[in-house]
Amino acid sequence: MSITAINVRNQFRGRIKEIIEGPVVSEIDVETPQGLIVTSVITTRSVRDLDLAVGREVIALVKSTEVSIAAL
């Protein structure tokens, strides 16, 4: 599935600035080129499955009160 196939209109491209990993959920801070920080709370399993790491380029997908992360 491509990113364009996702029904989320608010997308912020950026790089992972910080990952605070917990046993079940983790916080991911994404910094946009404009300096905006978008924070997402996702499962720690998803952090590993997406191979997320500080410095990795990602897209923060915002829908309602949820912020999702898509690996590029």
Side-chain angles (χ1 to χ4, degrees):
M1 175 172 53
S2 69
I3 297 300
T4 57
I6 296 174
N7 185 21
V8 179
R9 296 189 188 271
N10 299 308
Q11 301 180 12
F12 300 93
R13 189 176 287 264
R15 292 197 180 274
I16 296 176
K17 181 174 183 171
E18 183 177 17
I19 298 175
I20 302 172
E21 194 169 309
V24 178
V25 296
S26 296
E27 288 183 39
I28 311 296
D29 286 346
V30 176
E31 185 173 16
T32 68
Q34 296 79 20
L36 174 72
I37 302 293
V38 179
T39 301
S40 177
V41 176
I42 63 174
T43 65
T44 300
R45 182 178 184 174
S46 292
V47 172
R48 294 183 189 126
D49 289 348
L50 292 168
D51 197 27
L52 299 180
V54 172
R56 177 146 187 202
E57 188 177 7
V58 295
I59 297 176
L61 307 165
V62 180
K63 186 170 185 175
S64 294
T65 59
E66 180 181 317
V67 176
S68 303
I69 300 291
L72 297 176

